Amino acid sequence: VKGCFAVAAAAAAALAAALLSSDLDRTALLAALAPFVAAGAVSAVLSSRYKKAFKAAVVPALLDGIAPGLEYRPEGYLDESEFTGCRMFRRPDRYSGNDLVRGRVGRTDVRFSLVHAEERQETSRTDSDGRTQSETTWSTIFRGLLFSADFNKEFRGETRVLSGSPGILSGLLPGLVTLESPEFESFFTVRSTDPVEARYILTPSLMERIVALRRKFDAKGTCLSFVASRVHVAVPMGTDAFEPSLRRPADDPATTAAIAETLDSILDIVADLDLDTRIWTKR
Amino acid sequence: VPAWIAFGALFLFGAALYNTMVRRRNRVRMAAASVDVMLKRRWDLIPNLVEAVKGYAAHERAVLEAVTAARARALSAPLSLPEKASLDRVVAPGIRTLVALAEGYPELKASEGFLRLQGALNEAEEQVAAARRAYNAAVTSFNDGCGTFPLRLAAAAMGLEPMELFEAAPPERDLPSGSTRDGSAP
């Protein structure tokens, strides 16, 4: 990567020389830019390889220290069907992700990954000659952590804990469940197919835990859903949470510590939501 | 403003108030039905619990009898929800006392059948708590309508009165291990 930067620097010097020369022509300019492009491409390939190698070596070791037995796939991610099936987001037109972790924490089956879901937006505009041109842009539906774990109680319906307190018009859409905790209601709006089941899931204690979880990640847009006896937690963040910084050496303890802290706080969701307590009929 | 427009607007306003109160009353009825189902589910577990602990409950015979009698009364005749709530205030702490007996008897505590029963009782307790909270939310919304303008006009015209909330059983004292940790009273 450093070599690429050197090539880029040399190319910059060549470009400067070309620009300063009086007989500047297009060929000279292209010749000056070519090393830039080549250096950029090589740099991208090298940094991608470096990140992959770093993650493959470091993340499994960190996971082993936190919760042994978890499987890690740097390029894997939760299925699009799981993203759509958790009922928190619209169906995306483009979906990708990385850093899939799955396995058991105590008795609780967990899986999570960083995902990026986008939707296509077509815009058309007419130029001065009357020609219409369409343009495709991509807007992000969700980018961040999608965490899914086996919930410790059985339920049949769908309960969604969406970000943002209920507004005046929230009651117009079906399924609004008003709960007793004003603090919880200041962060979330609950919608459910069954109001009794929503309260069976969202006990006063779990509501407190969810508020604490929201504070821990301190991410606006954090939301949860309870579907098919699993809890899904979505926390907006980048998709590079487990990647090393290119500006620091690979053995920099701060880089590893930051990744370990992120992994720890994600796996701690099991304890945060008390998912490993199995005192009901579900074992 | 022509008289018929004013009359029409007034009619629509009155109909909206009336429909709102009908919807709120229906929500209370639906929630009450849920409470009924959940209470029955819990009461249906009592014979199994009595069977499981009767050999160990020499010192808790009064509790055993009170719980059994409360269940028999609940099943003998149709009761109103407040009557069922008052019976449940006997049953819920009684069940907790009987489950707590297992703490003194390791062989009972370790028995697979008892563990399953304990799980079912915990679940039933949480289900009752959830149904009670849903019922109280519906009653609060209904009572708000009975007490605030302009829904109060419709409530008075329909002869609706504020309803009682479903009070929970007294809070647990000595929580047995493996019992509910959620702090939600039944």
Side-chain angles (χ1 to χ4, degrees), chain B residues 75-175:
Chain B
L75 299 179
S76 64
L79 299 176
S80 67
L81 197 64
E83 285 171 323
K84 285 179 183 169
S86 118
L87 273 183
D88 198 58
R89 283 195 284 276
V90 175
V91 169
I95 287 178
R96 279 187 222 123
T97 308
L98 295 178
V99 170
L101 275 176
E103 292 298 306
Y105 300 94
E107 72 275 20
L108 177 62
K109 200 179 167 187
S111 127
E112 184 57 34
F114 186 77
L115 284 174
R116 257 204 307 275
L117 181 62
Q118 199 178 24
L121 285 164
N122 284 335
E123 191 157 311
E125 183 162 338
E126 296 250 322
Q127 295 277 20
V128 171
R132 179 180 56 76
R133 287 165 59 210
Y135 175 79
N136 285 348
V139 167
T140 304
S141 163
F142 176 84
N143 288 353
D144 286 349
C146 290
T148 55
F149 183 82
L151 284 174
R152 168 178 199 155
L153 301 175
M158 293 163 74
L160 300 177
E161 295 286 330
M163 297 184 193
E164 267 181 53
L165 295 174
F166 189 122
E167 280 178 45
E172 312 158 31
R173 281 163 303 180
D174 301 316
L175 199 68

Side-chain angles (χ1 to χ4, degrees), chain A residues 31-266:
Chain A
L33 283 177
F36 266 122
V37 177
V42 172
S43 168
V45 170
L46 289 180
S47 65
S48 160
R49 276 189 195 165
Y50 166 64
K51 284 173 185 172
K52 257 187 231 171
F54 179 91
K55 287 201 285 190
V58 172
V59 177
L62 293 176
L63 280 171
D64 252 0
I66 301 167
L70 292 173
E71 179 197 349
Y72 173 65
R73 284 174 47 208
E75 286 168 64
Y77 53 91
L78 293 183
D79 282 349
E80 187 179 331
S81 59
E82 180 140 22
F83 177 83
T84 316
C86 72
R87 314 284 292 153
M88 290 185 277
F89 307 103
R90 298 185 292 280
R91 182 179 291 279
D93 296 312
R94 188 160 74 181
Y95 181 77
S96 60
N98 46 270
D99 299 301
L100 174 70
V101 175
R102 62 184 173 197
R104 278 184 181 272
V105 175
R107 284 181 286 183
T108 306
D109 173 70
V110 299
R111 51 180 179 258
F112 67 84
S113 77
L114 302 170
V115 300
H116 188 197
E118 298 163 282
E119 68 182 345
R120 185 189 295 115
Q121 285 177 336
E122 300 284 353
T123 48
S124 60
R125 58 177 182 188
T126 310
D127 61 17
S128 54
D129 300 333
R131 285 176 301 191
T132 305
Q133 284 185 322
S134 67
E135 194 177 306
T136 304
T137 53
W138 293 91
S139 69
T140 293
I141 299 172
F142 175 74
R143 184 209 291 264
L145 167 74
L146 184 61
F147 177 94
S148 166
D150 182 36
F151 195 60
N152 49 14
K153 294 176 184 171
E154 294 280 4
F155 50 83
R156 290 178 186 168
E158 293 174 4
T159 297
R160 294 174 294 149
V161 179
L162 304 171
S163 170
S165 59
I168 301 168
L169 302 177
S170 298
L172 295 178
L173 289 172
L176 180 72
V177 177
T178 308
L179 295 168
E180 305 90 330
S181 163
E183 193 183 23
F184 182 85
E185 294 257 304
S186 72
F187 284 116
F188 301 106
T189 299
V190 178
R191 294 199 178 274
S192 178
T193 52
D194 181 344
V196 174
E197 194 174 78
R199 289 174 172 92
Y200 171 59
I201 295 166
L202 296 167
T203 59
S205 160
L206 188 64
M207 280 192 280
E208 274 178 32
R209 288 171 179 277
I210 290 173
V211 168
L213 187 77
R214 163 70 178 74
R215 290 213 169 101
K216 182 176 95 170
F217 284 106
D218 195 22
K220 198 177 170 191
T222 298
C223 48
L224 297 89
S225 73
F226 299 85
V227 179
S229 278
R230 289 186 79 85
V231 54
H232 307 269
V233 184
V235 184
M237 57 170 74
T239 44
D240 56 355
F242 305 135
E243 287 180 5
S245 165
L246 293 179
R247 295 195 186 111
R248 290 181 174 172
D251 57 356
D252 177 30
T255 304
T256 333
I259 296 172
E261 196 182 323
T262 309
L263 282 171
D264 202 26
S265 60
I266 293 170

Side-chain angles (χ1 to χ4, degrees), chain B residues 25 78 102 176:
Chain B
R25 185 180 59 189

